[in-house]
Amino acid sequence: MAQKNRHPVIDWNRMTDRQRQMKARAENLTAQIALDQHREHDRANKALFASLESVLAQLAGTPKAIEFFRLFTENATLANAKRIANHPDCPQVVRNEIAQRIEKTGITPGHEGAARAALGKSDNASED
């Protein structure tokens, strides 16, 4: 059976002025929802960061501390992994892994872009 030639649900070319205004309001509401959700996400991240130091203090010297730092450094750019290695609570075993990662990439100071490329990271990766 042949399918009927259907018109689009909304014909954007045939909207009245009132319909255009309604569409603009809907777009503004959608944008506001996105901004509100982004702000809430930022507040949640700040709440996590506020308790980070006390969590690190509780993890100090435990296998969980190694796993915690390992997860962060595995998902970080090489430059950020080096910064994480400088954290006073970073376990030595994780620092050694980062040093091996640097050695494996053959990176010299000032050539982090080449290291990111070798690790499959984008040059646009955030490093702050």
Side-chain angles (χ1 to χ4, degrees), residues 49-112:
F49 186 74
S51 60
L52 182 64
E53 290 297 323
S54 61
V55 169
L56 289 174
Q58 288 179 343
L59 292 177
T62 68
K64 288 183 179 181
I66 295 169
E67 186 64 21
F68 179 87
F69 278 95
R70 190 174 279 150
L71 282 171
F72 273 95
T73 58
E74 286 174 353
N75 291 290
T77 63
L78 189 59
N80 280 342
K82 288 167 47 176
R83 290 179 184 117
I84 293 168
N86 288 329
H87 191 281
D89 294 327
C90 184
Q92 187 61 44
V93 66
V94 176
R95 289 181 180 154
N96 294 341
E97 291 170 0
I98 294 167
Q100 289 174 354
R101 186 173 157 193
I102 292 168
E103 198 174 290
K104 183 193 272 186
T105 61
I107 183 174
T108 55
H111 294 89
E112 283 84 3

Side-chain angles (χ1 to χ4, degrees), residues 12-30:
W12 301 107
N13 297 320
R14 296 179 54 195
M15 290 187 351
T16 65
D17 287 339
R18 182 175 175 272
Q19 290 169 335
R20 282 186 185 84
Q21 289 172 350
M22 290 170 48
K23 180 180 178 270
R25 281 195 303 270
E27 289 169 347
N28 287 337
L29 287 171
T30 303

